[in-house]
Amino acid sequence: MTEPAADGDYRVLDSETVYEGRVISLVKDTVAMPGGGDSVREVVRHPGAVAVVALGDDGQVVLLRQYRHPVGGYLWELPAGLRDADGEPPLETAKRELAEEVRMAAERWSLLTTSFSTPGFCDELVLVYLAEGLSDVDRPEGFTVEHEELDMTVERVPLDDAVQWVFDGRIRNAAAVIGLLAAAQHRAAGPRLRPVDAT
């Protein structure tokens, strides 16, 4: 399989699916190098994710403490989830995840930032939203809390404290680090944000 040239004239000469899982797949690509020759790259294909900085009028953000098996421990995170619902726009995924995980809705939504979580081997793109004008809601009909979410702790923390937790090493989840720092900068300096439906 040959794909169109990418930046720098990198071309995929061959692609082989090594593993197909419930969430991710692993492919082995043979890529033409612009200086000549080719090289094999193992790539984790991922559906992408969203994360939400839910910021209350009182300046507090909603954080979750959730067990993450790959790192063998609990991490402080933002409400977040996979973009695994076919055809669902990312903003709708963010709204759904906020309701499912912390039983909240928001009046105002902004796209804070987008980031590739680990571009050296994975194509996961994470969209981080700012949600303001928070209110309590019921979980969506049909949603069942299960697995690690049964053990999840939800807390509201002043944004300034959460930012300090980043620098203390207490918050190490990449989307949370990025989202909290972006929210603090947005509150401090008001940078221009992209449209909420941008990717």
Side-chain angles (χ1 to χ4, degrees):
M1 171 182 106
T2 302
E3 294 184 2
D7 290 342
D9 203 27
Y10 293 92
R11 291 186 327 279
V12 177
L13 304 174
D14 186 55
S15 187
E16 172 192 352
T17 299
V18 177
Y19 171 78
E20 188 78 39
R22 184 181 65 83
V23 175
I24 62 160
S25 61
L26 174 64
V27 299
K28 186 166 68 171
D29 288 343
T30 303
V31 183
M33 297 288 113
D38 57 58
S39 188
V40 173
R41 296 288 180 262
E42 295 170 340
V43 180
V44 173
R45 299 286 181 210
H46 189 284
V50 298
V52 181
V53 179
L55 182 61
D57 294 338
D58 58 1
Q60 295 192 331
V61 293
V62 178
L63 295 177
L64 312 174
R65 184 175 176 268
Q66 185 172 355
Y67 180 77
R68 292 299 187 182
H69 177 72
V71 298
Y74 289 86
L75 294 178
W76 284 105
E77 303 183 354
L78 300 173
L82 297 173
R83 293 192 55 211
D84 56 357
D86 282 345
E88 184 176 62
L91 178 58
E92 295 308 309
T93 305
K95 290 178 179 180
R96 177 174 52 80
E97 290 292 343
L98 188 63
E100 288 176 354
E101 292 193 342
V102 297
R103 299 181 188 184
M104 287 186 172
E107 291 178 10
R108 298 181 307 282
W109 289 85
S110 305
L111 178 62
L112 276 176
T113 187
T114 54
S115 66
F116 288 108
S117 57
T118 48
F121 67 87
C122 182
D123 66 355
E124 179 187 24
L125 177 66
V126 181
L127 294 88
V128 182
Y129 293 92
L130 176 64
E132 299 172 289
L134 304 177
S135 60
D136 295 329
V137 295
D138 292 331
R139 284 198 170 100
E141 188 174 329
F143 176 74
T144 303
V145 178
E146 58 184 1
H147 308 302
E148 290 90 347
E149 291 183 351
L150 288 168
D151 188 30
M152 192 167 61
T153 303
V154 179
E155 286 194 24
R156 297 183 97 172
V157 176
L159 178 59
D160 291 342
D161 291 355
V163 168
Q164 187 58 53
W165 287 11
V166 169
F167 292 104
D168 292 342
R170 192 169 176 189
I171 293 178
R172 295 184 289 173
N173 170 282
V177 169
I178 292 166
L180 292 168
L181 296 179
Q185 179 65 15
H186 181 263
R187 189 170 72 167
R192 185 179 64 254
L193 299 178
R194 288 171 288 166
V196 72
D197 58 352
T199 55

